Amino acid sequence: MTEVPPTGFSPSLVLIMKAAPDAAVHRIDRSHRTPATKAKMAQRIVLTASEGVTDLHALMNAAVDEGHVPAA
């Protein structure tokens, strides 16, 4: 697992980050919609946001990219 350094996310960014996985999960194959894959997608959102990405659609796309490969 990738370590993400502590970052001060704004309250509005946290709301965006919370919305992104819910929307992104509907864009991956049903067979991949496991709790482990969803967790992997959420981790990708946090990592992407910590790199400075704050756009909902960009965070969703990053999560979908991660969700195309199911968690092991």
Side-chain angles (χ1 to χ4, degrees), residues 2 6-7 9-10 15 33-36 38 41 43 46 48-49 57 60 65-67 72:
T2 304
T7 305
F9 295 128
S10 71
L15 289 175
R33 295 180 192 176
T34 64
K38 290 177 186 178
M41 292 169 70
Q43 288 175 334
V46 172
T48 303
H57 296 288
M60 284 176 31
D65 287 345
E66 195 69 32

Side-chain angles (χ1 to χ4, degrees), residues 8-61:
F9 295 128
S10 71
S12 61
L13 179 55
V14 172
L15 289 175
I16 291 169
M17 291 168 61
K18 289 172 79 174
D22 294 334
V25 75
H26 297 290
R27 293 175 44 199
I28 64 170
D29 192 76
R30 277 193 184 273
S31 65
H32 296 185
R33 295 180 192 176
T34 64
T37 300
K38 290 177 186 178
K40 189 172 89 154
M41 292 169 70
Q43 288 175 334
R44 177 74 177 269
I45 288 168
V46 172
L47 180 62
T48 303
S50 73
E51 294 170 348
V53 176
T54 60
D55 178 69
L56 173 62
H57 296 288
L59 294 172
M60 284 176 31
N61 289 336

